[in-house]
Amino acid sequence: MYTDSYPYAQSAWFYYQFLMTTLTDHVGHATITPNFTNDDRVEYVERQLAILRDMLDGAEDCKWIYDALIEYTMALCLMEERDPQSDEKEDFKSWLGELRKLDPFRNGRWDDLEKTLLRS
């Protein structure tokens, strides 16, 4: 998936999102990864989150990374049937701040997302 334009290639992120949905969505994974237990899925998502964090080194201006970090951190919380922890909420605030700078045309989306992520 890595190319010279990656991590900025939008189509690569959409494909990545599709692949990740097969793990994070309890319906989709049954057909594509039928032998994965929930623990396997959680472990895979945790590894992906670590990779995404590493990608920020040198690509801090890539909105797709922040968007994926938020999406898969929330997916992890759902998979583990828990609310976001305080450190995850701090990460959400930071990532949303970067998204507001990188993609100001979607400030309304970021505001709505912040309300959803930081409630409770």
Coordinates of all heavy atoms in Angstrom, one line a residue, residues 9-99:
A9 N -2.4 9.8 -0.4 CA -3.3 9.3 -1.4 C -4.7 8.9 -0.9 O -4.8 7.9 -0.1 CB -2.7 8.1 -2.1
Q10 N -5.7 9.7 -1.2 CA -7.0 9.5 -0.6 C -7.5 8.1 -1.0 O -8.1 7.4 -0.1 CB -7.9 10.5 -1.2 CG -9.4 10.4 -0.7 CD -10.2 11.5 -1.3 OE1 -9.8 12.3 -2.1 NE2 -11.5 11.5 -0.9
S11 N -7.3 7.6 -2.2 CA -7.9 6.3 -2.5 C -7.3 5.2 -1.7 O -8.0 4.2 -1.3 CB -7.7 6.0 -4.0 OG -6.3 6.0 -4.3
A12 N -6.0 5.3 -1.3 CA -5.4 4.3 -0.5 C -6.1 4.3 0.9 O -6.2 3.2 1.5 CB -3.9 4.6 -0.3
W13 N -6.4 5.4 1.4 CA -7.1 5.5 2.7 C -8.5 4.9 2.7 O -8.9 4.3 3.6 CB -7.1 6.9 3.2 CG -5.8 7.3 3.7 CD1 -4.9 8.1 3.1 CD2 -5.2 6.9 5.0 NE1 -3.7 8.2 3.9 CE2 -3.9 7.5 5.0 CE3 -5.6 6.1 6.0 CZ2 -3.0 7.3 6.1 CZ3 -4.7 5.9 7.1 CH2 -3.4 6.5 7.1
F14 N -9.2 5.1 1.6 CA -10.5 4.5 1.4 C -10.4 3.0 1.4 O -11.2 2.3 2.0 CB -11.3 5.1 0.2 CG -11.7 6.5 0.4 CD1 -11.8 7.3 -0.7 CD2 -12.1 7.0 1.7 CE1 -12.3 8.6 -0.5 CE2 -12.5 8.3 1.8 CZ -12.6 9.1 0.7
Y15 N -9.4 2.5 0.7 CA -9.2 1.0 0.6 C -8.8 0.5 2.0 O -9.4 -0.5 2.5 CB -8.2 0.7 -0.4 CG -8.0 -0.8 -0.6 CD1 -9.0 -1.6 -1.1 CD2 -6.8 -1.4 -0.3 CE1 -8.8 -3.0 -1.2 CE2 -6.6 -2.8 -0.4 CZ -7.6 -3.5 -0.9 OH -7.4 -4.9 -1.0
Y16 N -8.0 1.2 2.7 CA -7.6 0.8 4.1 C -8.8 0.8 5.0 O -9.0 -0.1 5.8 CB -6.5 1.8 4.6 CG -6.1 1.6 6.0 CD1 -5.3 0.5 6.3 CD2 -6.4 2.5 7.0 CE1 -4.8 0.3 7.6 CE2 -5.9 2.3 8.3 CZ -5.2 1.2 8.6 OH -4.7 1.0 9.9
Q17 N -9.7 1.8 4.9 CA -10.9 1.9 5.7 C -11.8 0.6 5.4 O -12.3 0.0 6.3 CB -11.6 3.2 5.4 CG -12.9 3.3 6.2 CD -13.6 4.6 5.9 OE1 -13.6 5.0 4.7 NE2 -14.1 5.3 6.9
F18 N -11.9 0.3 4.1 CA -12.7 -0.9 3.8 C -12.1 -2.1 4.5 O -12.8 -2.9 5.1 CB -12.7 -1.1 2.3 CG -13.1 -2.5 1.9 CD1 -14.4 -2.9 2.0 CD2 -12.2 -3.4 1.4 CE1 -14.8 -4.2 1.6 CE2 -12.5 -4.6 1.0 CZ -13.9 -5.1 1.1
L19 N -10.8 -2.3 4.3 CA -10.1 -3.5 4.9 C -10.3 -3.5 6.5 O -10.6 -4.5 7.0 CB -8.7 -3.5 4.6 CG -8.3 -3.8 3.1 CD1 -6.8 -3.7 2.8 CD2 -8.9 -5.1 2.7
M20 N -10.1 -2.4 7.1 CA -10.3 -2.3 8.5 C -11.7 -2.6 9.0 O -11.9 -3.2 10.0 CB -9.8 -0.9 9.1 CG -8.3 -0.8 9.0 SD -7.4 -1.9 10.1 CE -7.9 -1.3 11.7
T21 N -12.6 -2.2 8.2 CA -14.0 -2.4 8.5 C -14.3 -3.9 8.6 O -15.2 -4.3 9.4 CB -15.0 -1.7 7.5 OG1 -14.7 -0.3 7.5 CG2 -16.4 -2.0 7.9
T22 N -13.6 -4.7 7.8 CA -13.8 -6.1 7.9 C -13.4 -6.7 9.2 O -13.9 -7.8 9.6 CB -13.1 -6.9 6.8 OG1 -11.7 -6.7 7.0 CG2 -13.5 -6.4 5.4
L23 N -12.6 -6.0 10.0 CA -12.1 -6.4 11.3 C -13.0 -5.7 12.4 O -13.2 -6.4 13.4 CB -10.7 -6.1 11.5 CG -9.7 -6.9 10.7 CD1 -8.3 -6.3 10.8 CD2 -9.7 -8.3 11.2
T24 N -13.3 -4.5 12.2 CA -13.9 -3.7 13.3 C -15.5 -3.9 13.3 O -16.1 -3.8 14.4 CB -13.6 -2.2 13.2 OG1 -14.1 -1.7 12.0 CG2 -12.1 -2.0 13.4
D25 N -16.1 -4.2 12.2 CA -17.5 -4.4 12.1 C -17.8 -5.9 12.5 O -17.3 -6.8 11.8 CB -18.0 -4.1 10.7 CG -19.5 -4.2 10.6 OD1 -20.1 -4.8 11.4 OD2 -20.0 -3.5 9.6
H26 N -18.6 -6.1 13.5 CA -18.9 -7.5 13.9 C -19.6 -8.3 12.8 O -19.5 -9.5 12.8 CB -19.7 -7.5 15.2 CG -21.1 -7.0 15.0 ND1 -21.4 -5.7 14.9 CD2 -22.3 -7.7 14.9 CE1 -22.7 -5.6 14.7 NE2 -23.3 -6.8 14.8
V27 N -20.2 -7.7 11.8 CA -20.9 -8.4 10.8 C -19.9 -8.8 9.7 O -19.8 -9.9 9.2 CB -22.0 -7.6 10.2 CG1 -22.6 -8.3 9.0 CG2 -23.1 -7.3 11.2
G28 N -19.1 -7.8 9.2 CA -18.2 -8.0 8.1 C -17.1 -9.0 8.3 O -16.7 -9.8 7.4
H29 N -16.6 -9.1 9.5 CA -15.4 -10.0 9.8 C -15.8 -11.5 9.7 O -14.9 -12.3 9.4 CB -14.7 -9.7 11.1 CG -15.4 -10.3 12.3 ND1 -16.5 -9.8 12.9 CD2 -15.0 -11.5 12.9 CE1 -16.8 -10.6 13.9 NE2 -16.0 -11.6 13.9
A30 N -17.0 -11.8 9.8 CA -17.4 -13.2 9.8 C -17.1 -13.9 8.5 O -16.8 -15.0 8.4 CB -18.8 -13.4 10.2
T31 N -17.2 -13.1 7.4 CA -17.0 -13.7 6.1 C -15.5 -13.6 5.6 O -15.1 -14.4 4.8 CB -17.9 -13.0 5.0 OG1 -17.7 -11.6 5.0 CG2 -19.4 -13.3 5.3
I32 N -14.8 -12.6 6.1 CA -13.5 -12.4 5.6 C -12.4 -12.9 6.5 O -11.4 -13.5 6.1 CB -13.2 -10.9 5.3 CG1 -14.1 -10.5 4.2 CG2 -11.8 -10.6 5.0 CD1 -14.1 -9.0 3.8
T33 N -12.6 -12.8 7.8 CA -11.7 -13.4 8.8 C -12.5 -14.2 9.8 O -12.6 -13.9 11.0 CB -11.0 -12.2 9.6 OG1 -11.9 -11.3 10.1 CG2 -10.0 -11.5 8.7
P34 N -13.0 -15.3 9.3 CA -13.9 -16.1 10.2 C -13.3 -16.8 11.4 O -13.9 -17.1 12.3 CB -14.5 -17.2 9.2 CG -13.5 -17.3 8.1 CD -12.9 -15.9 8.0
N35 N -12.0 -16.9 11.3 CA -11.3 -17.6 12.4 C -10.7 -16.6 13.5 O -10.1 -17.1 14.4 CB -10.2 -18.5 11.9 CG -10.7 -19.6 11.0 OD1 -11.8 -20.2 11.3 ND2 -10.0 -20.0 10.0
F36 N -10.9 -15.3 13.3 CA -10.5 -14.4 14.2 C -11.4 -14.3 15.4 O -12.6 -14.1 15.2 CB -10.4 -13.0 13.6 CG -9.1 -12.6 12.9 CD1 -8.4 -13.6 12.2 CD2 -8.6 -11.4 12.9 CE1 -7.2 -13.3 11.5 CE2 -7.4 -11.0 12.3 CZ -6.7 -12.0 11.6
T37 N -10.9 -14.4 16.6 CA -11.7 -14.2 17.8 C -11.7 -12.7 18.0 O -11.0 -11.9 17.4 CB -11.0 -14.8 19.0 OG1 -9.7 -14.2 19.3 CG2 -10.8 -16.3 18.8
N38 N -12.5 -12.2 18.9 CA -12.6 -10.8 19.3 C -11.2 -10.4 19.8 O -10.8 -9.3 19.4 CB -13.7 -10.5 20.3 CG -13.9 -9.0 20.4 OD1 -14.2 -8.4 19.4 ND2 -13.7 -8.4 21.6
D39 N -10.5 -11.2 20.5 CA -9.2 -10.8 21.0 C -8.2 -10.6 19.9 O -7.4 -9.7 19.9 CB -8.7 -11.9 22.0 CG -9.4 -11.9 23.3 OD1 -10.0 -10.9 23.7 OD2 -9.3 -12.9 24.0
D40 N -8.3 -11.5 18.8 CA -7.5 -11.4 17.6 C -7.7 -10.0 17.0 O -6.8 -9.3 16.5 CB -7.7 -12.5 16.6 CG -7.3 -13.9 17.1 OD1 -6.4 -13.9 18.0 OD2 -7.9 -14.8 16.7
R41 N -9.0 -9.7 16.8 CA -9.4 -8.5 16.2 C -8.9 -7.2 17.0 O -8.4 -6.3 16.4 CB -10.9 -8.4 16.0 CG -11.4 -9.5 15.0 CD -12.9 -9.6 15.0 NE -13.6 -8.4 14.9 CZ -14.7 -8.0 15.7 NH1 -15.1 -8.9 16.6 NH2 -15.3 -6.9 15.5
V42 N -9.1 -7.3 18.3 CA -8.6 -6.2 19.1 C -7.1 -6.0 19.0 O -6.6 -4.9 18.8 CB -9.0 -6.4 20.6 CG1 -8.2 -5.6 21.6 CG2 -10.5 -6.2 20.8
E43 N -6.4 -7.1 19.0 CA -4.9 -7.1 18.9 C -4.5 -6.5 17.6 O -3.6 -5.6 17.5 CB -4.3 -8.5 19.0 CG -2.8 -8.5 18.9 CD -2.2 -9.9 19.0 OE1 -2.9 -10.9 19.5 OE2 -1.1 -10.1 18.5
Y44 N -5.2 -6.8 16.5 CA -4.9 -6.3 15.2 C -5.1 -4.8 15.1 O -4.3 -4.0 14.6 CB -5.7 -7.0 14.1 CG -5.2 -6.7 12.7 CD1 -4.2 -7.5 12.1 CD2 -5.7 -5.7 12.0 CE1 -3.7 -7.2 10.9 CE2 -5.2 -5.4 10.7 CZ -4.2 -6.1 10.2 OH -3.7 -5.8 8.9
V45 N -6.2 -4.4 15.7 CA -6.5 -2.9 15.7 C -5.5 -2.2 16.5 O -5.1 -1.1 16.1 CB -8.0 -2.7 16.1 CG1 -8.3 -1.2 16.3 CG2 -9.0 -3.3 15.2
E46 N -5.1 -2.7 17.6 CA -4.1 -2.1 18.5 C -2.8 -1.9 17.7 O -2.1 -0.9 17.8 CB -3.9 -2.9 19.7 CG -5.0 -2.7 20.7 CD -4.9 -3.6 21.9 OE1 -4.1 -4.7 21.9 OE2 -5.5 -3.3 23.0
R47 N -2.4 -2.9 16.9 CA -1.2 -2.9 16.1 C -1.3 -1.8 15.0 O -0.4 -1.0 14.7 CB -0.8 -4.2 15.5 CG -0.2 -5.1 16.4 CD 0.3 -6.4 15.8 NE -0.8 -7.3 15.6 CZ -0.9 -8.2 14.6 NH1 0.0 -8.4 13.8 NH2 -2.0 -8.9 14.5
Q48 N -2.5 -1.7 14.4 CA -2.7 -0.7 13.4 C -2.7 0.7 14.0 O -2.1 1.6 13.4 CB -4.1 -0.9 12.7 CG -4.2 -2.1 11.9 CD -3.1 -2.1 10.7 OE1 -3.1 -1.2 9.9 NE2 -2.3 -3.1 10.7
L49 N -3.2 0.9 15.2 CA -3.1 2.2 15.9 C -1.6 2.6 16.1 O -1.3 3.7 15.9 CB -3.9 2.2 17.1 CG -5.4 2.2 17.0 CD1 -6.1 1.9 18.3 CD2 -5.9 3.6 16.4
A50 N -0.8 1.6 16.5 CA 0.6 1.9 16.7 C 1.3 2.3 15.4 O 2.1 3.2 15.4 CB 1.3 0.7 17.3
I51 N 0.9 1.6 14.3 CA 1.5 2.0 13.0 C 1.1 3.4 12.6 O 1.9 4.2 12.1 CB 1.1 0.9 12.0 CG1 1.8 -0.4 12.2 CG2 1.3 1.4 10.5 CD1 1.2 -1.6 11.5
L52 N -0.2 3.7 12.8 CA -0.7 5.0 12.5 C 0.0 6.1 13.3 O 0.4 7.1 12.7 CB -2.2 5.1 12.7 CG -3.1 4.3 11.7 CD1 -4.5 4.2 12.2 CD2 -3.0 5.0 10.3
R53 N 0.2 5.9 14.5 CA 1.0 6.8 15.4 C 2.4 7.0 14.8 O 2.9 8.1 14.8 CB 1.0 6.4 16.8 CG -0.3 6.5 17.5 CD -0.2 6.0 19.0 NE -1.4 6.1 19.7 CZ -1.8 7.1 20.4 NH1 -1.1 8.2 20.5 NH2 -3.0 7.1 21.0
D54 N 3.0 5.9 14.4 CA 4.4 6.0 13.9 C 4.4 6.8 12.6 O 5.3 7.5 12.3 CB 5.0 4.6 13.6 CG 5.4 3.9 14.9 OD1 5.5 4.6 16.0 OD2 5.6 2.7 14.8
M55 N 3.3 6.7 11.8 CA 3.2 7.4 10.5 C 3.2 8.9 10.7 O 3.6 9.6 9.8 CB 2.0 6.9 9.7 CG 2.1 5.6 9.1 SD 0.6 5.0 8.3 CE 0.6 6.2 6.9
L56 N 2.8 9.4 11.8 CA 2.7 10.8 12.1 C 4.1 11.4 12.1 O 4.3 12.6 11.8 CB 2.0 11.1 13.4 CG 0.5 11.0 13.4 CD1 0.0 11.3 14.8 CD2 -0.1 12.0 12.4
D57 N 5.1 10.6 12.3 CA 6.5 11.1 12.3 C 6.9 11.4 10.9 O 7.2 10.4 10.1 CB 7.4 10.1 13.0 CG 8.9 10.7 13.1 OD1 9.0 11.9 13.0 OD2 9.8 9.9 13.2
G58 N 6.8 12.6 10.5 CA 7.2 13.0 9.1 C 6.0 13.2 8.2 O 6.1 13.7 7.1
A59 N 4.8 12.9 8.7 CA 3.5 13.2 8.0 C 2.5 13.9 8.9 O 1.3 13.6 8.8 CB 3.0 11.9 7.4
E60 N 3.0 14.8 9.7 CA 2.1 15.5 10.6 C 1.0 16.3 9.9 O 0.0 16.7 10.5 CB 2.9 16.4 11.6 CG 3.9 15.7 12.4 CD 5.3 15.5 11.8 OE1 5.4 15.8 10.6 OE2 6.2 14.9 12.4
D61 N 1.2 16.5 8.7 CA 0.3 17.4 7.9 C -0.7 16.5 7.1 O -1.4 17.0 6.2 CB 1.0 18.3 7.0 CG 1.8 17.6 5.9 OD1 2.2 16.4 6.1 OD2 2.2 18.2 4.9
C62 N -0.8 15.2 7.4 CA -1.7 14.3 6.7 C -3.0 14.1 7.5 O -3.0 13.4 8.5 CB -1.0 13.0 6.4 SG -2.1 11.9 5.5
K63 N -4.1 14.7 7.1 CA -5.4 14.6 7.8 C -5.9 13.1 7.9 O -6.6 12.8 8.8 CB -6.4 15.5 7.2 CG -7.0 14.9 5.9 CD -8.2 15.8 5.5 CE -9.2 14.9 4.7 NZ -10.5 15.3 4.8
W64 N -5.5 12.3 6.9 CA -6.0 10.9 6.9 C -5.6 10.1 8.1 O -6.3 9.3 8.6 CB -5.6 10.3 5.6 CG -6.1 11.0 4.4 CD1 -5.4 11.8 3.5 CD2 -7.5 11.1 3.9 NE1 -6.3 12.3 2.5 CE2 -7.5 11.9 2.8 CE3 -8.7 10.5 4.4 CZ2 -8.7 12.2 2.1 CZ3 -9.9 10.8 3.7 CH2 -9.9 11.6 2.6
I65 N -4.4 10.4 8.5 CA -3.8 9.7 9.7 C -4.6 10.0 10.9 O -5.1 9.1 11.7 CB -2.3 10.0 9.9 CG1 -1.5 9.5 8.7 CG2 -1.8 9.3 11.2 CD1 -0.1 9.9 8.7
Y66 N -4.9 11.3 11.2 CA -5.7 11.7 12.3 C -7.1 11.1 12.3 O -7.6 10.7 13.3 CB -5.7 13.2 12.4 CG -4.4 13.9 12.6 CD1 -3.7 14.6 11.6 CD2 -3.7 13.7 13.8 CE1 -2.5 15.1 11.7 CE2 -2.4 14.3 14.0 CZ -1.8 15.0 12.9 OH -0.6 15.6 13.1
D67 N -7.7 11.2 11.1 CA -9.0 10.7 10.9 C -9.0 9.2 11.2 O -9.9 8.7 11.9 CB -9.5 10.9 9.5 CG -11.0 10.9 9.3 OD1 -11.7 11.4 10.2 OD2 -11.4 10.2 8.3
A68 N -8.1 8.4 10.8 CA -8.0 7.0 11.0 C -7.7 6.7 12.5 O -8.3 5.8 13.1 CB -6.9 6.3 10.2
L69 N -6.9 7.5 13.1 CA -6.6 7.3 14.6 C -7.9 7.4 15.4 O -8.2 6.6 16.3 CB -5.6 8.3 15.0 CG -4.1 8.0 14.7 CD1 -3.2 9.2 14.9 CD2 -3.6 6.8 15.5
I70 N -8.7 8.4 15.0 CA -10.0 8.6 15.8 C -10.9 7.5 15.5 O -11.5 6.9 16.4 CB -10.6 10.0 15.3 CG1 -9.8 11.1 15.9 CG2 -12.1 10.0 15.8 CD1 -10.2 12.5 15.4
E71 N -11.0 7.1 14.2 CA -12.0 6.1 13.8 C -11.7 4.7 14.5 O -12.5 4.1 15.0 CB -12.0 5.9 12.3 CG -13.0 4.9 11.9 CD -13.2 4.9 10.4 OE1 -12.6 5.7 9.6 OE2 -13.9 4.0 9.9
Y72 N -10.4 4.4 14.5 CA -10.0 3.0 15.0 C -9.8 3.0 16.5 O -10.0 2.0 17.1 CB -8.8 2.5 14.2 CG -9.2 2.5 12.8 CD1 -8.4 3.1 11.8 CD2 -10.4 1.9 12.3 CE1 -8.8 3.1 10.5 CE2 -10.8 1.9 11.0 CZ -10.0 2.5 10.1 OH -10.3 2.6 8.8
T73 N -9.6 4.2 17.1 CA -9.6 4.2 18.6 C -11.1 4.0 19.1 O -11.3 3.3 20.0 CB -9.0 5.5 19.1 OG1 -7.7 5.6 18.7 CG2 -9.1 5.6 20.6
M74 N -12.0 4.7 18.4 CA -13.4 4.5 18.7 C -13.8 3.1 18.5 O -14.6 2.5 19.3 CB -14.3 5.5 18.0 CG -14.3 6.9 18.6 SD -14.8 6.9 20.3 CE -16.4 6.2 20.3
A75 N -13.4 2.5 17.4 CA -13.7 1.1 17.1 C -13.2 0.2 18.1 O -13.9 -0.8 18.6 CB -13.2 0.7 15.7
L76 N -12.0 0.4 18.6 CA -11.4 -0.4 19.7 C -12.3 -0.3 20.9 O -12.5 -1.3 21.6 CB -10.0 0.1 19.9 CG -9.2 -0.7 21.0 CD1 -9.0 -2.2 20.5 CD2 -7.9 -0.1 21.2
C77 N -12.7 0.9 21.3 CA -13.6 1.1 22.5 C -14.9 0.2 22.3 O -15.3 -0.4 23.2 CB -13.9 2.5 22.7 SG -12.5 3.5 23.2
L78 N -15.5 0.3 21.1 CA -16.7 -0.5 20.9 C -16.4 -2.0 20.9 O -17.2 -2.7 21.5 CB -17.3 -0.1 19.5 CG -17.9 1.3 19.4 CD1 -18.3 1.6 18.0 CD2 -19.1 1.4 20.3
M79 N -15.3 -2.4 20.4 CA -15.0 -3.8 20.4 C -14.7 -4.3 21.8 O -15.0 -5.5 22.1 CB -13.7 -4.1 19.5 CG -14.0 -3.9 18.0 SD -12.5 -3.7 17.1 CE -11.8 -5.4 17.2
E80 N -14.2 -3.5 22.7 CA -13.9 -3.8 24.1 C -15.1 -3.5 25.0 O -15.0 -3.6 26.2 CB -12.7 -3.2 24.5 CG -11.4 -3.6 23.8 CD -10.1 -3.0 24.3 OE1 -10.2 -1.8 24.7 OE2 -9.1 -3.6 24.2
E81 N -16.2 -2.9 24.4 CA -17.4 -2.6 25.1 C -17.1 -1.7 26.3 O -17.5 -1.9 27.4 CB -18.2 -3.8 25.5 CG -18.6 -4.7 24.4 CD -19.3 -5.9 24.8 OE1 -19.4 -6.2 26.0 OE2 -19.8 -6.6 23.9
R82 N -16.4 -0.5 26.0 CA -16.0 0.4 27.0 C -16.1 1.8 26.4 O -16.1 2.0 25.2 CB -14.7 0.1 27.6 CG -13.6 0.2 26.5 CD -12.2 0.1 27.1 NE -11.1 0.1 26.1 CZ -10.6 1.2 25.6 NH1 -11.1 2.4 25.9 NH2 -9.7 1.2 24.7
D83 N -16.1 2.8 27.3 CA -16.0 4.2 27.0 C -14.5 4.5 26.8 O -13.7 3.9 27.3 CB -16.6 5.1 28.0 CG -18.1 5.0 28.1 OD1 -18.7 4.7 27.1 OD2 -18.7 5.2 29.2
P84 N -14.3 5.6 26.0 CA -12.9 6.0 25.9 C -12.3 6.4 27.2 O -12.9 7.0 28.1 CB -13.0 7.3 25.0 CG -14.3 7.1 24.3 CD -15.2 6.4 25.2
Q85 N -11.0 6.0 27.4 CA -10.3 6.3 28.6 C -9.8 7.8 28.6 O -9.8 8.4 27.5 CB -9.1 5.4 28.8 CG -9.6 3.9 28.9 CD -8.5 2.9 28.8 OE1 -7.3 3.3 28.5 NE2 -8.8 1.7 29.1
S86 N -9.4 8.3 29.7 CA -9.0 9.7 29.7 C -7.9 10.0 28.8 O -7.9 11.1 28.1 CB -8.7 10.2 31.2 OG -7.6 9.4 31.6
D87 N -6.9 9.2 28.6 CA -5.8 9.4 27.7 C -6.3 9.4 26.3 O -5.8 10.1 25.4 CB -4.6 8.4 27.9 CG -5.0 7.0 27.7 OD1 -6.1 6.6 28.1 OD2 -4.1 6.2 27.3
E88 N -7.2 8.5 26.0 CA -7.8 8.5 24.6 C -8.6 9.8 24.3 O -8.5 10.3 23.2 CB -8.7 7.3 24.5 CG -7.9 6.0 24.5 CD -8.8 4.7 24.6 OE1 -9.9 4.8 25.2 OE2 -8.4 3.7 24.0
K89 N -9.3 10.3 25.3 CA -10.0 11.5 25.2 C -9.0 12.7 24.9 O -9.3 13.6 24.1 CB -10.9 11.8 26.4 CG -12.1 10.9 26.4 CD -13.0 11.3 27.6 CE -14.3 10.5 27.6 NZ -15.2 10.9 28.6
E90 N -7.9 12.7 25.6 CA -6.9 13.7 25.3 C -6.3 13.6 23.9 O -6.1 14.6 23.2 CB -5.8 13.6 26.4 CG -6.1 14.1 27.8 CD -6.7 15.5 27.8 OE1 -6.0 16.4 27.2 OE2 -7.7 15.7 28.4
D91 N -6.1 12.4 23.5 CA -5.7 12.1 22.1 C -6.7 12.7 21.1 O -6.4 13.3 20.1 CB -5.4 10.7 21.8 CG -4.2 10.1 22.5 OD1 -3.3 10.9 22.8 OD2 -4.1 8.9 22.6
F92 N -8.0 12.4 21.4 CA -9.1 12.9 20.5 C -9.0 14.4 20.4 O -9.1 15.0 19.3 CB -10.5 12.5 21.0 CG -10.8 11.1 20.9 CD1 -11.7 10.5 21.9 CD2 -10.3 10.2 19.9 CE1 -12.0 9.1 21.8 CE2 -10.6 8.9 19.8 CZ -11.5 8.3 20.8
K93 N -8.8 15.1 21.5 CA -8.7 16.6 21.5 C -7.6 17.0 20.6 O -7.7 17.9 19.8 CB -8.6 17.1 22.9 CG -9.8 17.0 23.8 CD -9.5 17.6 25.2 CE -10.7 17.3 26.1 NZ -10.3 17.8 27.5
S94 N -6.4 16.4 20.8 CA -5.3 16.7 20.0 C -5.5 16.5 18.5 O -5.2 17.3 17.7 CB -4.1 15.9 20.6 OG -2.9 16.1 19.7
W95 N -6.0 15.3 18.2 CA -6.2 14.9 16.8 C -7.2 15.8 16.2 O -7.0 16.2 15.0 CB -6.6 13.5 16.7 CG -5.5 12.5 17.2 CD1 -4.2 12.7 17.2 CD2 -5.8 11.2 17.7 NE1 -3.5 11.6 17.7 CE2 -4.5 10.7 18.1 CE3 -6.9 10.5 18.0 CZ2 -4.3 9.4 18.6 CZ3 -6.7 9.2 18.5 CH2 -5.5 8.7 18.8
L96 N -8.3 16.2 16.9 CA -9.3 17.1 16.3 C -8.7 18.5 16.1 O -9.1 19.1 15.2 CB -10.5 17.1 17.3 CG -11.4 15.9 17.2 CD1 -12.4 15.9 18.3 CD2 -12.2 15.9 15.8
G97 N -7.8 18.9 17.0 CA -7.2 20.2 16.8 C -6.4 20.2 15.5 O -6.4 21.2 14.8
E98 N -5.7 19.1 15.3 CA -4.9 19.0 14.0 C -5.8 19.0 12.8 O -5.5 19.6 11.8 CB -4.0 17.8 14.0 CG -2.9 17.9 15.0 CD -1.9 19.0 14.8 OE1 -1.6 19.4 13.7 OE2 -1.5 19.7 15.8
L99 N -6.9 18.3 12.9 CA -7.9 18.2 11.8 C -8.5 19.5 11.5 O -8.7 19.9 10.4 CB -8.9 17.2 12.1 CG -8.5 15.7 11.9 CD1 -9.6 14.8 12.5 CD2 -8.3 15.4 10.5

